[in-house]
């Protein structure tokens, strides 16, 4: 099949590469000339396991190409995927300018039937707006060309996006057009060989399904963090509680790990967008708003523990941070808890020595060169001369460290464990002061 993907960000690049990997001919369109040139040269702008290999392989095979030519892209594909960014407006709503600009461009250049596929995460009703934008341009052109607009939301986890696309749990297609549904069924057939994973529904239900999924997962995280804070005050161990409730199949173990808050490009943005969308139809989404409030509060938990340990006197202190990305296996720092923590430490006069396996360049881009931030080349280097170690992201290489080496490098044996990686009893035996999330009594009842 001949496919066009508009946008070479996280979703667009993964989508285009994986579709090409199945044998289709894909053109990815982006207005950023430097980015397109870099992609055609085999340079991948984001870190995602397995992505670089399939981009380079399919580009070399002639199945995947990148261009700034919108007209070329519209001519190429019967299926036109819109996978551009929908950043958050100041009021929390999704900014659809890029989506609608692409829609108008498709309307400007299309000469035969097209299926326009909304892959970007967009509010309910966006497909109608895309349809209106294209129809408006066609009317100005006095052109009669058939088209359908389909909602096909992505469910890709950063750090596992290629695997998620190649072996999806489900493929949601929102359309009332049998012709469009059949084309999507044909496209996705190689990705659901074991059993039919394609679920066809109406457009608005498909659009809401994406928000519902992310808000449901964010809710589980915030609820678990709320329970962890209660456990801490009672002297209970949230890890034992987690095992106890996770064994209930109605709850399960996924997304019930307490920590220092969620971040990234999806959960925060989608939670805010759903709150705003609900307001627009006259509904107060109280629970969704509480999910956001709990998460914002949780991002300050590590700083509060650090400040309490040092008696509020952080000026001149040095903290070693392990982990900067919002989650492992990505270099994404959007809405990352590490940013909230570092900025609070700097405001209090502390210095940071930081290490992350993938996010060092992104940290440098965000904060530049500053005297209170040292970006280190290894976890061990970050420890040197620090007054305490802070775990912010649960990278695999942080899970079983040499605690004697940590003790020797720090000025005092203190660990703030924002992801509950370590056994409190083990660290207590080794003489560490260990502050975790909800793993014992640290505040009076």
């Amino acid at each position: 099949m001949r496919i066009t993907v508009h946008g070479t960000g996280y979703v667009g690049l993964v989508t285009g590469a994986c579709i090409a990997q199945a044998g289709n001919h894909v053109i990815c369109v982006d207005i950023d000339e430097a980015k397109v040139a870099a992609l055609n040269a085999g340079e991948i702008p984001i870190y995602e396991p397995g992505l670089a290999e399939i981009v380079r392989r399919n580009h070399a095979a002639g199945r995947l190409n990148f261009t700034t030519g919108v007209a070329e892209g519209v001519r190429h594909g019967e299926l036109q995927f819109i996978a551009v960014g929908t950043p958050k407006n100041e009021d929390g709503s999704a900014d659809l300018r890029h989506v609608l600009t692409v829609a108008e461009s498709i309307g400007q250049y299309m000469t035969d039937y097209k299926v326009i596929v909304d892959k970007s995460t967009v509010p309910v009703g966006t497909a109608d707006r895309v349809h209106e934008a294209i129809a408006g341009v066609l009317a100005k052109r006095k052109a009669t060309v058939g088209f359908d607009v389909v909602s096909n939301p992505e469910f890709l986890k950063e750090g596992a996006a290629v695997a998620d696309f190649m072996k999806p749990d489900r493929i949601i297609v929102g359309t009332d057009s049998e012709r469009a549904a059949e084309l999507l069924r044909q496209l996705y057939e190689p990705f659901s060989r074991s059993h039919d994973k394609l679920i066809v529904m109406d457009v608005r239900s498909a659009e809401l399904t994406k928000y519902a999924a992310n808000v449901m997962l964010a809710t589980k995280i915030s609820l678990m963090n709320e329970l962890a804070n209660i456990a801490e005050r009672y002297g209970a161990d949230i890890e034992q509680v987690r095992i106890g409730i996770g064994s209930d199949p109605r709850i399960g173990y996924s997304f019930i790990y307490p920590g220092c808050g969620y971040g990234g490009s999806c959960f925060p943005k989608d939670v805010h967008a759903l709150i705003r969308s609900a307001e627009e139809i006259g509904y107060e989404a109280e629970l969704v708003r509480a999910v956001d409030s709990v998460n914002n509060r949780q991002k300050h938990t590590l700083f509060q523990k650090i400040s309490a340990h040092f008696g509020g006197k952080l000026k001149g202190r040095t903290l070693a941070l392990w982990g900067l990305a919002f989650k492992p296996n990505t270099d994404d720092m959007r809405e990352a808890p590490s940013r909230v923590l570092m900025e609070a430490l700097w405001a209090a006069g502390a210095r940071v020595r930081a290490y992350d396996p993938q996010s060092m360049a992104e940290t440098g881009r965000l904060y530049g060169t500053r005297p209170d931030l040292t970006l280190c080349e290894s976890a061990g280097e970050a420890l040197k001369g620090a007054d305490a170690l802070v775990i912010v992201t649960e990278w695999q290489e942080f899970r079983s460290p040499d605690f004697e080496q940590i003790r020797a490098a720090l000025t005092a044996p203190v660990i703030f464990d924002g992801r509950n990686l370590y056994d409190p009893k083990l660290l207590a035996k080794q003489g560490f002061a260990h502050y975790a999330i909800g793993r014992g009594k640290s505040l009076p009842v």
Side-chain angles (χ1 to χ4, degrees):
M1 300 181 72
R2 298 171 69 84
I3 310 296
T4 297
V5 179
H6 296 269
T8 60
Y10 184 84
V11 173
L13 189 56
V14 171
T15 298
C18 290
I19 289 175
Q21 178 69 10
N24 301 290
H25 295 273
V26 179
I27 287 182
C28 292
V29 181
D30 201 292
I31 61 173
D32 187 332
E33 293 183 1
K35 189 176 186 181
V36 167
L39 285 165
N40 279 320
E43 299 173 16
I44 311 303
I46 58 174
Y47 174 73
E48 181 64 38
L51 180 60
E53 291 83 352
I54 64 170
V55 169
R56 292 167 185 153
R57 181 186 310 127
N58 286 281
H59 184 266
R63 291 189 299 267
L64 178 62
N65 290 290
F66 303 93
T67 182
T68 58
V70 178
E72 176 189 359
V74 175
R75 283 195 304 269
H76 173 79
E78 184 172 16
L79 294 176
Q80 300 274 322
F81 281 81
I82 300 179
V84 293
T86 53
K88 183 175 67 175
N89 286 316
E90 289 186 7
D91 64 357
S93 62
D95 184 347
L96 297 178
R97 286 178 298 172
H98 303 310
V99 170
L100 297 176
T101 296
V102 171
E104 290 170 354
S105 297
I106 293 171
Q108 183 65 43
Y109 295 110
M110 63 188 289
T111 57
D112 54 3
Y113 175 77
K114 303 289 182 186
V115 176
I116 294 84
V117 184
D118 286 339
K119 199 68 175 173
S120 302
T121 299
V122 293
V124 176
T126 299
D128 294 338
R129 295 183 63 182
V130 168
H131 194 283
E132 291 169 5
I134 295 172
V137 174
L138 289 174
K140 289 179 182 178
R141 289 174 52 199
K142 295 182 170 54
T144 302
V145 183
F147 69 95
D148 287 303
V149 179
V150 172
S151 174
N152 175 220
E154 54 85 15
F155 297 96
L156 307 176
K157 299 186 295 293
E158 289 197 48
V162 172
D164 285 346
F165 198 103
M166 302 303 284
K167 296 182 178 180
D169 297 318
R170 76 288 205 197
I171 301 164
I172 302 295
V173 173
T175 183
D176 57 4
S177 165
E178 184 53 43
R179 181 179 181 181
E182 186 55 39
L183 284 169
L184 269 295
R185 189 173 284 110
Q186 180 183 343
L187 174 68
Y188 283 118
E189 194 274 337
F191 304 100
S192 56
R193 297 297 295 272
S194 61
H195 62 279
D196 188 5
K197 300 175 182 177
L198 193 131
I199 304 170
V200 179
M201 58 182 69
D202 66 88
V203 174
R204 291 197 166 210
S205 294
E207 290 172 331
L208 184 56
T209 296
K210 170 62 177 181
Y211 279 119
N214 279 353
V215 170
M216 180 70 75
L217 296 174
T219 299
K220 292 184 74 173
I221 295 171
S222 280
L223 176 58
M224 203 64 192
N225 283 331
E226 194 90 294
L227 292 172
N229 294 334
I230 293 171
E232 193 165 285
R233 286 158 173 77
Y234 272 119
D237 185 347
I238 195 62
E239 280 299 295
Q240 296 183 40
V241 175
R242 180 185 66 80
I243 294 169
I245 64 175
S247 60
D248 184 332
R250 296 172 300 175
I251 298 172
Y253 290 103
S254 297
F255 286 83
I256 61 168
Y257 290 85
C260 49
Y262 61 75
S265 63
C266 295
F267 287 5
K269 178 172 69 71
D270 292 353
V271 166
H272 293 155
L274 189 58
I275 292 169
R276 180 60 179 162
S277 295
E279 289 175 348
E280 291 175 354
I281 56 173
Y283 183 77
E284 176 65 24
E286 294 181 40
L287 178 57
V288 182
R289 194 178 293 279
V291 168
D292 181 53
S293 177
V294 168
N295 188 61
N296 289 335
R297 183 180 65 193
Q298 197 71 12
K299 288 183 178 181
H300 295 275
T301 296
L302 281 175
F303 176 77
Q304 292 165 357
K305 291 177 181 291
I306 293 167
S307 182
H309 175 82
F310 290 107
K313 298 176 181 178
L314 292 176
K315 188 173 183 179
R317 294 284 183 181
T318 299
L319 283 301
L321 265 63
W322 282 4
L324 297 166
F326 86 94
K327 64 180 286 189
N329 297 321
T330 182
D331 59 356
D332 195 342
M333 290 184 63
R334 286 173 288 184
E335 304 268 0
S338 64
R339 297 178 65 174
V340 174
L341 175 59
M342 288 193 293
E343 290 164 16
L345 290 171
W346 293 331
R351 296 183 297 269
V352 171
R353 295 177 61 82
Y355 168 71
D356 186 282
Q358 292 295 334
S359 295
M360 306 306 284
E362 178 65 5
T363 307
R365 185 190 71 81
L366 288 170
Y367 294 110
T369 301
R370 48 186 300 158
D372 48 9
L373 172 63
T374 302
L375 297 178
C376 302
E377 294 185 359
S378 69
E381 183 185 344
L383 297 170
K384 294 178 181 177
D387 296 301
L389 167 62
V390 189
I391 307 295
V392 189
T393 312
E394 64 275 30
W395 285 91
Q396 190 68 32
E397 68 178 84
F398 302 154
R399 292 181 179 272
S400 299
D402 184 333
F403 289 110
E404 286 303 316
Q405 182 185 52
I406 293 174
R407 179 200 297 277
L410 296 175
T411 62
V414 182
I415 296 177
F416 297 92
D417 187 356
R419 297 297 178 183
N420 287 356
L421 295 188
Y422 309 135
D423 182 348
K425 293 179 180 178
L426 174 65
L427 290 188
K429 287 181 180 179
Q430 297 193 32
F432 279 89
H434 177 239
Y435 298 88
I437 308 295
R439 302 215 61 184
K441 195 169 184 177
S442 63
L443 295 173
V445 175

